[in-house]
Amino acid sequence: MSFVLQKSKSGSKTIEINGRLIHSLYSPEKEAFRFISQLYANEKPNLIILFGAGLGYIHDAIKKIYPHARVFLIFFHSEVFHNCSHKNKIGNHSWHPEKNQDLFDSLNQVLHDYDYDRVMMIKWEPSIQAFPQLAKISAGILHQSLSQLKGSFRTIQGFGKNWISNSFMNYVSIQKIISGQLISPEKFPVLAASGYSLKESITFIKAYRNYIQLIALPSSLSILNEYEITPDVIVVTDPGFYSAYHFRFHKFKNPVIAMPLSAAKGIYNLFNEFYLFHQPHFFETSLLQYFNHSFLHIPPQGTVAASALALILAQTNTPCFVTGLDLAFMDIHGHVIPNSFYDIQLLNSTRLRPLYSNLFKNAVNTSDDILFKDQRISKSLKLYADYFNLLPTAIKKRIYITEHEKMLKGFQIFDEKKFSMNQFSKAPVNYNKLENIPSHRLRKNQALLLLDSWLKDLDQNSNTFHFIEELFYFINPIEYSRFKHHQQYKEEALFENSLNLLKAECSDYLYSLKNKIKALRVDF
């Protein structure tokens, strides 16, 4: 690949790559300004991503027309970056192939959840045409980052308030807590999700049950119950109704429930032993500190399967087996049968809306494409698959899957005939109990005092509440997005209006939560 620097007629430099000019030979500055001016449509983006950055002229034009916008530059070759006139200024706001960080991580650092609908992408075609292969790969990574951004925002929009209230309710009411090592290094960890491939693994799980530490997702409990298999650990992260609904007919002999405080409330009425892991949201951090114990950090992963896998990988160096993570519809079924979602469809079926008609409509309306002859995929399932497929190769080498989990790429296919189970122990796993935890009554008082301190900070415009913007975001992410946008564009009147709206809504929510906590029984 040849790179030739040339001087334009205006005196500025341009670059020719394999005979293709990236900027004008007459005036790169005028060309760039004219290009950006044609795009301008009274938009006010929070962030502009320049896809195929050149020597800095497009960047300068962007800053003239969008002075308040943040700008992130994607270079397709490091030689172009090193010849960019602003390379010393834009280092932290750009990516190129020689940077000691991959593009996905770089994008995650610059993209904020509140940018979800205010990201503008500008493509500089001469750079894209000069590096078509890298441009295609980068476009896929960019699409993945933006999809995760929107997914995260929608999740907060749907469950943000639930996460906070669940954290307080669970903190006050939870009983016996397990500490220390949850995943035993002496057992073979098997993660059971609820795709159709789980059914193919039931025989193996039953045959080697004593060697296995079975970690189950809530949606797999119906079929495990059907085959009289009791999981050792059930991982719960979802805050909504269905997360707890999966437990309604359980017959399990006291498995450990691994969960963050923000997971669905009410499960503490069913089981005695809990393993808490820390999703570092401000409300969980504030509550967990009262236990005077260090909890394992598992950042939010976007799906319970990813959180469960992160838990396994964080506590053991042994290989693990993931089954049921099909991330696709098998014909008209999204989950292996029996499962709770199938039961709900059955309950909702009538003579005019028969079961299989409902299942077919759900499969067709939810899925976007047919992956293989009998498997359908959807945008959300593909997004989850992309998360797992972007895991580092070193981690993928530790993870075995079934041949039916076709959405997962780069993992090892599990063959029980070639895999020796003798390296693992048949001895039962013993867990340590967390001692000296505060009583339920004391925890209730601590929760109420914490809420009082937040309300006081809101009322007094205090700067001591470092998480106040996080509270805004979880209570009303749409208004918080406006709040940050007005702040970035220095729109003082609109900013003050958003601030007052957010404070009022947060105050109402916290008073309501206080009343719910006051009503909790603590005499057990």
Side-chain angles (χ1 to χ4, degrees):
M1 182 168 285
S2 64
F3 296 86
V4 180
L5 283 173
Q6 298 186 38
K7 183 178 285 189
S8 69
K9 290 185 178 180
S10 66
S12 303
K13 64 181 179 181
T14 184
I15 189 168
E16 185 180 295
I17 302 172
N18 285 350
R20 188 186 297 274
L21 279 170
I22 300 302
H23 297 292
S24 168
L25 268 175
Y26 176 70
S27 176
E29 297 92 343
K30 288 183 178 180
E31 177 192 44
F33 189 80
R34 184 168 59 249
F35 171 68
I36 299 300
S37 297
Q38 291 171 348
L39 299 176
Y40 185 65
N42 294 322
E43 294 185 48
K44 292 182 177 180
N46 286 358
L47 174 68
I48 295 173
I49 298 175
L50 178 54
F51 192 70
L55 300 182
Y57 306 114
I58 307 293
H59 173 269
D60 290 347
I62 290 172
K63 293 305 291 182
K64 284 180 182 177
I65 295 175
Y66 302 95
H68 295 294
R70 306 182 335 263
V71 181
F72 184 78
L73 311 178
I74 298 177
F75 293 85
F76 296 142
H77 201 284
S78 298
E79 186 71 21
V80 180
F81 169 78
H82 291 308
N83 281 285
C84 178
S85 57
H86 305 307
K87 69 176 182 179
N88 294 326
K89 295 180 181 179
I90 62 172
N92 294 328
H93 306 284
S94 64
W95 178 85
H96 58 92
E98 288 182 4
K99 191 171 183 177
N100 58 355
Q101 186 178 46
D102 61 36
L103 176 57
F104 187 76
D105 289 339
S106 296
L107 286 167
N108 284 345
Q109 283 187 352
V110 74
L111 286 167
H112 304 304
D113 286 353
Y114 56 79
D115 293 326
Y116 82 106
D117 66 342
R118 292 187 171 92
V119 178
M120 181 179 183
M121 187 168 77
I122 296 176
K123 298 179 180 180
W124 185 234
E125 286 296 335
S127 290
I128 294 172
Q129 292 170 9
F131 304 99
Q133 191 61 34
L134 187 55
K136 183 179 179 180
I137 295 170
S138 301
I141 296 171
L142 179 58
H143 175 75
Q144 168 74 3
S145 296
L146 293 174
S147 296
Q148 285 193 6
L149 175 77
K150 292 176 180 177
S152 175
F153 186 89
R154 287 194 294 267
T155 300
I156 298 292
Q157 189 177 1
F159 296 110
K161 292 180 180 179
N162 284 2
W163 281 349
I164 296 175
S165 62
N166 288 356
S167 295
F168 277 85
M169 298 296 185
N170 285 326
Y171 172 72
V172 173
S173 302
I174 209 164
Q175 298 183 49
K176 188 189 295 184
I177 300 174
I178 300 299
S179 67
Q181 190 83 12
L182 178 67
I183 309 301
S184 172
E186 297 180 352
K187 294 283 188 180
F188 183 41
V190 175
L191 175 58
S194 59
Y196 254 80
S197 59
L198 174 58
K199 204 161 194 174
E200 305 297 325
S201 305
I202 291 292
T203 302
F204 165 76
I205 292 172
K206 295 196 76 168
Y208 294 98
R209 185 67 189 90
N210 291 337
Y211 294 95
I212 287 171
Q213 187 172 23
L214 183 60
I215 299 98
L217 306 187
S219 55
S220 70
L221 297 184
S222 291
I223 189 169
L224 294 178
N225 192 54
E226 178 83 4
Y227 285 93
E228 299 181 340
I229 299 173
T230 298
D232 299 292
V233 177
I234 303 172
V235 180
V236 185
T237 60
D238 295 340
F241 164 78
Y242 291 108
S243 190
Y245 184 76
H246 295 298
F247 290 91
R248 71 203 186 287
F249 297 134
H250 79 89
K251 299 177 183 177
F252 304 122
K253 296 179 180 179
N254 203 29
V256 175
I257 307 298
M259 57 180 270
L261 280 178
S262 55
K265 58 180 179 288
I267 299 174
Y268 48 73
N269 293 321
L270 304 176
F271 300 98
N272 290 324
E273 294 188 328
F274 291 83
Y275 180 89
L276 295 178
F277 56 87
H278 181 196
Q279 291 188 334
H281 298 308
F282 74 94
F283 41 89
E284 288 193 31
T285 302
S286 299
L287 291 166
L288 287 175
Q289 66 179 342
Y290 294 127
F291 283 124
N292 196 28
H293 177 75
S294 178
F295 294 92
L296 179 66
H297 280 235
I298 303 288
Q301 308 289 323
T303 167
V304 62
S307 295
L309 183 60
L311 176 63
I312 294 169
L313 296 173
Q315 292 207 324
T316 178
N317 292 319
T318 61
C320 65
F321 176 36
V322 178
T323 178
L325 199 60
D326 299 23
L327 300 172
F329 284 83
M330 177 65 75
D331 193 22
I332 61 173
H333 298 290
H335 300 268
V336 67
I337 297 173
N339 69 77
S340 298
F341 299 117
Y342 181 88
D343 295 345
I344 291 171
Q345 291 278 17
L346 182 60
L347 289 170
N348 290 332
S349 63
T350 66
R351 184 171 62 85
L352 298 177
R353 295 188 303 165
L355 173 63
Y356 285 107
S357 176
N358 292 341
L359 291 171
F360 174 77
K361 288 178 182 177
N362 181 59
V364 171
N365 293 337
T366 305
S367 57
D368 305 295
D369 197 6
I370 296 177
L371 180 64
F372 302 101
K373 63 179 181 179
D374 55 359
Q375 288 190 340
R376 301 175 184 270
I377 59 172
S378 67
K379 288 180 181 178
S380 59
L381 291 174
K382 187 178 185 305
L383 183 61
Y384 293 149
D386 287 343
Y387 169 85
F388 291 103
N389 292 333
L390 285 171
L391 288 172
T393 303
I395 290 178
K396 287 184 177 182
K397 287 182 178 179
R398 292 175 52 191
I399 301 171
Y400 289 88
I401 63 173
T402 71
E403 61 182 359
H404 303 288
E405 295 165 284
K406 297 176 182 178
M407 289 291 288
L408 301 180
K409 310 296 182 185
F411 296 86
Q412 301 189 76
I413 301 300
F414 183 72
D415 185 349
E416 62 178 282
K417 296 178 181 178
K418 298 180 181 179
F419 194 86
S420 173
M421 297 297 291
N422 293 328
Q423 59 184 304
F424 301 105
S425 171
K426 296 174 66 175
V429 179
N430 296 313
Y431 303 110
N432 298 318
K433 179 183 176 182
L434 182 62
E435 303 291 345
N436 301 319
I437 64 174
S439 67
H440 295 288
R441 188 172 299 280
L442 178 55
R443 279 184 264 160
K444 180 176 179 177
N445 291 334
Q446 289 169 334
L448 291 171
L449 287 171
L450 181 60
L451 289 174
D452 281 336
S453 70
W454 292 356
L455 283 163
K456 182 179 177 181
D457 288 333
L458 278 172
D459 186 54
Q460 296 181 352
N461 294 315
S462 173
N463 293 322
T464 59
F465 182 25
H466 301 296
F467 312 109
I468 195 166
E469 288 199 19
E470 287 187 80
L471 178 64
F472 289 167
Y473 178 50
F474 278 86
I475 298 302
N476 189 336
I478 291 179
E479 189 59 46
Y480 178 66
S481 176
R482 297 189 190 110
F483 167 82
K484 294 299 291 183
H485 181 71
H486 299 323
Q487 184 182 50
Q488 183 171 332
Y489 275 80
K490 304 186 185 326
E491 298 166 334
E492 293 184 10
L494 293 171
F495 171 79
E496 286 294 328
N497 185 52
S498 282
L499 177 61
N500 291 331
L501 286 171
L502 287 165
K503 288 176 65 176
E505 187 171 353
C506 287
S507 181
D508 290 345
Y509 172 80
L510 294 179
Y511 275 116
S512 174
L513 182 55
K514 267 190 71 176
N515 291 331
K516 291 178 182 178
I517 294 171
K518 286 178 180 178
L520 283 176
R521 285 184 55 205
V522 291
D523 55 348
F524 49 85

